[in-house]
Amino acid sequence: MNKKPIGVFDSGIGGLTVYRAIKQRLPRERVIYLGDTARLPYGSKSESAIIRFSEENAHFLMNHEVKLIVVACNSSSSYAVPHLQASLKVPVIGVIEPGAQAAVELSRKKVGVIGTSATIMSGAYEAAIRKRNPCLEIVSRDCPLFVPLVEEGWVDHAVTRMVAEEYLVPLKKVGIDSLVLGCTHYPVLSKVIGGVMGEGIRLIDSGVTTAGQVDSILRNLGWLNHDPPDSEDDFYVTDFPDRFRRVGGIFLNRKIARVSVAGN
Ligand code: DGL
């Protein structure tokens, strides 16, 4: 098991924030990444579509003999993780439970949750936070324009700052003390989001806490890879590899050399 890769999937490019966190924490693990770029965004899709797409993504990764699957997409994690856990023979980790755990550890009284419309509508973060601490107050809102702004490369841009103010000032006004960045793309906007929220409000990147959970699960199973990986990580998309290569650079701060189309 130790030498087998970790499988990571997302609706597209955003899951690279989770990929990056996993590689920082576990540089010896080889990763197979699948971005379902043909069907993104998931954040505006229905529960049944998201579950179906997620199952197909997971089967693609299983065919590559992964030892564990990380559902990097918050929208997929909100709906599909229990289905995948019930049907697959490898551990499946989503980003919601680790993000909720971090929220409970870092928040004192009132936590904000932002995400896609699908994630916020699912109530998954709220349920996961309440399960751990029923006394924490939770305020959530969807911020659908953040994803296209990041994909446009408008990371530090006047328009993005205006949109961030529109979405986030109401959360600031109700007095949240921490904010869960409940979407793969939002950590890329940490500077803009942090600028609007101000210094006292902690930003929670669920990718980082998810990487910690991957580490502890593999460690407990004795499945960590202790040698340098035999080969490079593989990146697959379901459409438009050139765009993934180009926009992916924004997420990783480096070029992605090879991106293949899944099934080819
Ligand atoms: N990956 C998605 C998420 O974290 C954002 C992009 C999309 O809507 O597909 O929810």
Side-chain angles (χ1 to χ4, degrees):
M1 274 295 180
N2 309 54
K3 294 252 175 242
K4 287 191 172 182
I6 295 172
V8 177
F9 80 79
D10 177 51
S11 57
I13 293 162
L16 290 174
T17 53
V18 181
Y19 165 84
R20 189 181 54 192
I22 293 170
K23 292 301 283 190
Q24 268 165 7
R25 176 98 184 207
L26 300 167
R28 288 176 183 258
E29 297 297 327
R30 193 162 82 78
V31 174
I32 297 190
Y33 182 99
L34 172 65
D36 189 11
T37 47
R39 299 187 287 199
L40 114 175
Y42 284 11
S44 54
K45 301 283 187 317
S46 67
E47 174 174 2
S48 60
I50 292 173
I51 292 172
R52 178 159 51 84
F53 298 163
S54 303
E55 283 172 344
E56 289 169 13
N57 297 336
H59 284 125
F60 174 86
L61 293 171
M62 289 303 287
N63 287 339
H64 284 75
E65 300 198 5
V66 295
K67 60 184 168 188
L68 174 145
I69 289 182
V70 179
V71 183
C73 178
N74 288 257
S75 307
S76 292
S77 297
S78 297
Y79 291 114
V81 165
H83 296 267
L84 299 178
Q85 284 172 334
S87 63
L88 299 179
K89 289 198 171 72
V90 298
V92 178
I93 303 172
V95 287
I96 305 288
E97 295 292 332
Q101 183 59 34
V104 167
E105 283 162 17
L106 295 174
S107 310
R108 289 178 302 275
K109 207 163 153 254
K110 204 181 269 188
V111 54
V113 178
I114 53 174
T116 65
S117 302
T119 297
I120 298 304
M121 224 153 49
S122 75
Y125 271 112
E126 286 85 339
I129 292 170
R130 284 224 172 83
K131 188 172 75 186
R132 292 169 167 85
N133 181 352
C135 299
L136 264 187
E137 264 185 77
I138 310 167
V139 191
S140 3
R141 85 157 294 169
D142 58 341
C143 305
L145 290 174
F146 279 164
V147 167
L149 286 167
V150 171
E151 301 227 345
E152 200 53 41
W154 288 14
V155 170
D156 195 6
H157 192 286
V159 170
T160 311
R161 281 193 288 279
M162 268 171 61
V163 171
E165 275 177 23
E166 188 71 30
Y167 284 146
L168 302 176
V169 167
L171 292 181
K172 191 175 168 172
K173 280 197 178 141
V174 297
I176 59 168
D177 52 57
S178 62
L179 180 64
V180 177
L181 306 180
C183 171
T184 48
H185 289 57
Y186 300 177
V188 178
L189 298 178
S190 291
K191 203 168 138 211
V192 170
I193 294 172
V196 174
M197 298 314 286
E199 276 188 0
I201 299 173
R202 306 183 77 153
L203 304 185
I204 297 166
D205 175 351
S206 35
V208 174
T209 42
T210 301
Q213 209 193 329
V214 172
D215 186 354
S216 58
I217 290 179
L218 291 180
R219 197 173 296 277
N220 288 341
L221 290 168
W223 289 359
L224 278 173
N225 184 24
H226 299 290
D227 305 317
D230 306 331
S231 54
E232 295 280 300
D233 295 338
D234 285 321
F235 295 93
Y236 291 94
V237 290
T238 48
D239 193 21
F240 215 170
D242 288 346
R243 184 166 196 279
F244 185 91
R245 208 175 290 123
R246 185 167 46 80
V247 184
I250 300 173
F251 286 81
L252 294 186
N253 278 328
R254 67 164 169 89
K255 284 207 164 103
I256 303 174
R258 194 165 43 93
V259 182
S260 313
V261 177
N264 284 4

